[in-house]
Amino acid sequence: MKSILKRKLSIIIPSHNEQNNIGYLIQALTKTLTPTDYDFELIFVDDGSSDNTLNEIKFNAEVYTNVFYVELSKNFGKDNALKAGIMMATGDAVVTMDADMQHPPNMILKMLEYWENGHDIVYTYRENANPHARLYQKATSKLFYKGINMLSDIKLENGTADFRLMDEKVVKQLKLIDEYELFLRGIIKWAGFKQIGIPYTPSKRHTGEVSYSFVKLVKLAVGSIMAFSAKPLYLMTGVGLSVSLMAILYIPYVLISFAAGYAVNGWASIIATIAFFGGMQLLVLSIIGVYVGKIFMQSKGRPNYLIRSTNLLSVNNDLVRV
Ligand code: UDP
Ligand code: MG
């Protein structure tokens, strides 16, 4: 039951192959939050881990009454795992954070201050380039924020993290959002409310490996090629681009042929135009195709995730164990 005196925090932790970080994080969070005036629950979402993560969470759920698990049926990706947790959250505020200790638990205390001062969303962004990140991570991250800020209406700070606090009223609205390709950092920026960004310095990953390979990051950065049946459409973009490029390279040859007197009158300009615009048409068509593909995936209305097992159930806006 929600206590009348104490406000409750739901902390959502998406976890993919984090077996040696779970216990450590629970201890760190317990140490940080126990002295505060808040009740808190920790909801771990096991995102199709292939190691012992789930057992580790289940073990801790037996030990601590405020630890819960949601086991997804396979790996759905971090944003979808976050949504699974958010849908279960019952707190007066919800905090989302990584399982690997890169998001310092102490920052939550700072977020709580801003929340108490009337902010609905307190999000974080990396103060400096992550000193622990690999070169490819830094490069894709930079490119990603540049790209999204240039091509979309929202403006994200460089290094905006999935480490944030949201008031219950924001969470209530968030639960209604039904998007196939979830990008929570963008949705949060778009959502408005009274929001504030605070800088943080990421710590080193406690143990284990990052789940995002170079390829995975590039996919995320360019809008993700997750939709299996939309892949051919993406392929067309490549074809369109290469044809256009070839056409451009072809033009000097055509012009030289013309100048050297090899060509019949009018041939050069016709060939050059056909080649170039043929490529452009393919390119434009394929871009439209990508959007059609996204509409196709969205129109299926598939859920963002499927749950295999969980030890919680939300009844009258309170979590109960099952
Ligand atoms: N994660 C997840 N599903 C995935 C990949 C990652 O739930 O498919 C979780 C992971 O366990 C961690 C967080 O998302 O808690 C951030 O992932 P990671 O540390 O691998 O990436 P980083 O953000 O540090 O580059
Ligand atoms: Mg990490």
Side-chain angles (χ1 to χ4, degrees), residues 239-275:
V239 174
L241 268 175
S242 3
V243 172
S244 304
L245 196 72
M246 277 179 341
I248 290 169
L249 295 177
Y250 188 49
I251 290 170
Y253 164 75
V254 171
L255 289 178
I256 290 165
S257 306
F258 176 69
Y262 297 145
V264 189
N265 255 359
W267 173 79
S269 53
I270 290 176
I271 286 292
T273 320
I274 288 177

Side-chain angles (χ1 to χ4, degrees), residues 11-19 21-22 25 42-49 53 57 68 70 72 75-86 94-101 103 162-164 184 205 211-212:
I11 302 187
I12 315 288
I13 306 142
S15 312
H16 176 69
N17 294 347
E18 305 280 6
Q19 57 181 9
N21 297 330
I22 303 294
L25 179 65
L42 310 181
I43 304 175
F44 285 89
V45 182
D46 174 51
D47 187 18
S49 297
T53 298
I57 306 170
F68 300 98
V70 179
L72 300 188
N75 180 258
F76 281 93
K78 183 186 180 180
D79 281 90
N80 292 324
L82 278 169
K83 183 175 180 191
I86 287 170
V94 172
V95 172
T96 59
M97 70 189 294
D98 287 0
D100 57 4
M101 292 298 294
H103 295 161
D162 277 310
F163 184 27
R164 65 176 80 80
L184 273 176
R205 182 170 245 285
S211 296
Y212 289 104

Side-chain angles (χ1 to χ4, degrees), residues 123-162:
Y123 66 89
T124 63
Y125 58 91
R126 286 194 302 262
E127 191 155 28
N128 309 305
N130 184 354
H132 310 292
R134 294 179 193 160
L135 200 65
Y136 80 82
Q137 289 174 313
K138 284 183 193 165
T140 42
S141 169
K142 219 169 156 181
L143 205 73
F144 172 68
Y145 288 102
K146 247 200 174 118
I148 196 154
N149 287 340
M150 216 166 70
L151 298 172
S152 75
D153 291 336
I154 52 163
K155 293 278 167 278
L156 286 181
E157 277 95 343
N158 268 349
T160 303
D162 277 310

Side-chain angles (χ1 to χ4, degrees), residues 225-235 289-290 293-294 296-297:
I225 312 174
M226 285 187 296
F228 41 93
S229 55
K231 263 187 189 167
L233 298 166
Y234 282 90
L235 216 69
V290 170
K294 286 189 193 300
F296 170 60
M297 291 309 289

